[in-house]
Amino acid sequence: MNPSIVVLANLSAAAEKAARYAAALGAPLHAHVTLLHCYQDPVMFAPELAVVTPTQTDRNYAEAAAEMQALAQQLPGPAAATVSAMPMADALTEAVQRYQPLLLAMGLSPEHNFLDELLHNQVLPMLRATHRPLLLVPAAAPPPALPRRVLLALDAEPFGLSAAGRHLAPLLAAWRAAYTVVHVATGHEPEAQPGRMALADVRASGLLPPDAPLWLYQEPQQDPAAGILQAIADTQADLVVLIARPRGFLERRFHHSVTAEVLRRSPVPVLLVPAKPSDRPGWMPAMS
């Protein structure tokens, strides 16, 4: 059975770009892409439309399904679309159970002016509920292609991957990309040692093949988000990987808004990979 990628899709250009990126990233493994569209009755948002007949609602649902299927047919490689009338959380849970995806994907459109709200209302609940890696594709991202230069942004704390994070390793290996670990040093820590530790942690995590080219990029005493964004430009990265940690780790090194700031300004897709949950109750990804 081929690996699977589930894309949270609507009828927007951002969703189409995310779907095409998912197809490009999964191509080396012949991954099957499923477009998941959560159909929401317009009456929920506009009570004045309550006069819409059930027949019209069915027609709207059918039209949405047809558009999603048309997009799926345009993607390279195996793809299909499914439309659900369930709330997003329920539809996503069902899709993860059914398809066991390597990762989830969604687009970030220019209309997402309140990115922090998007993180809290959609991104964080998805990570909590599924523990699956999540690809976020900005509208300004370049045309979809297989990544050749990947940036892994880490702080100085050790990390281990969740089971879903470890399952992502064959996909990253199939890209045959060059990888750069960016470490943004804070004012009170030596520059060299944490950087070397970050490289060792990446190797030990199993996220990358043992023989994958791996370089270190260090930004001394910079704002973490600014350092990551500068590293994207300097290394000409095609994709950024951020580790979604338990809450306590990242707060000691990165400010809680680092992920939001990187997503707000990143010119390339960002892949959130869940770290191994701690034994402490109330674990949640670090970017909250």
Side-chain angles (χ1 to χ4, degrees):
M1 181 176 177
N2 289 352
S4 172
I5 298 174
V6 170
V7 181
L8 278 76
N10 52 29
L11 305 179
S12 69
E16 179 178 349
K17 175 167 276 191
R20 294 187 182 280
Y21 255 102
L25 297 186
L29 296 185
H30 306 287
H32 185 278
V33 175
T34 296
L35 307 181
L36 174 62
H37 177 63
C38 295
Y39 177 80
Q40 296 174 317
D41 191 335
V43 174
M44 294 174 58
F45 305 99
E48 65 273 14
L49 298 179
V51 295
V52 173
T53 66
T55 300
Q56 182 62 51
T57 299
D58 291 343
R59 185 179 299 119
N60 293 341
Y61 182 96
E63 289 173 354
E67 291 193 44
M68 286 293 101
Q69 191 58 45
L71 174 57
Q73 291 173 353
Q74 295 172 20
L75 298 178
T82 181
V83 178
S84 174
M86 294 189 296
M88 179 184 292
D90 296 335
L92 185 58
T93 298
E94 182 182 85
V96 168
Q97 292 174 347
R98 179 178 179 184
Y99 300 110
Q100 295 296 308
L102 285 179
L103 61 87
L104 309 174
M106 68 179 292
L108 298 176
S109 72
E111 289 75 28
H112 286 151
N113 296 323
F114 301 100
L115 188 54
D116 290 324
E117 182 178 341
L118 176 72
L119 285 171
H120 283 277
N121 292 342
Q122 293 192 39
V123 173
L124 288 174
M126 276 190 278
L127 289 171
R128 287 194 198 99
T130 69
H131 299 291
R132 287 298 196 279
L134 175 62
L135 177 73
L136 298 166
V137 181
L146 208 59
R148 294 304 179 193
R149 293 174 294 275
V150 176
L151 191 72
L152 295 94
L154 301 177
D155 59 14
E157 298 289 349
F159 73 94
L161 294 178
S162 69
R166 293 193 300 272
H167 291 160
L168 200 62
L171 181 63
L172 270 66
W175 296 342
R176 299 188 179 277
Y179 293 88
T180 299
V181 173
V182 57
H183 168 254
V184 182
T186 59
H188 62 274
E189 63 182 27
E191 292 182 25
Q193 184 64 20
R196 288 196 295 269
M197 291 173 60
L199 286 175
D201 287 339
V202 171
R203 290 293 191 196
S205 72
L207 181 62
L208 302 180
D211 59 347
L214 188 61
W215 287 274
L216 176 66
Y217 178 106
Q218 294 200 98
E219 281 288 342
Q221 301 184 26
Q222 273 208 38
D223 169 76
I228 294 170
L229 293 164
Q230 185 62 51
I232 294 172
D234 290 348
T235 65
Q236 298 184 338
D238 307 302
L239 184 141
V240 178
V241 176
L242 296 179
I243 303 299
R245 291 180 177 275
R247 179 196 295 272
F249 288 118
L250 204 55
E251 288 175 346
R252 291 197 292 269
R253 291 290 184 262
F254 287 169
H255 188 267
H256 68 276
S257 64
V258 167
T259 297
E261 186 62 20
V262 171
L263 288 172
R264 188 176 289 112
R265 298 170 54 194
S266 175
V268 299
V270 177
L271 177 60
L272 303 180
V273 178
K276 183 179 180 181
S278 75
D279 295 329
R280 295 183 294 112
W283 176 87
M284 64 190 302
M287 75 288 285
S288 59

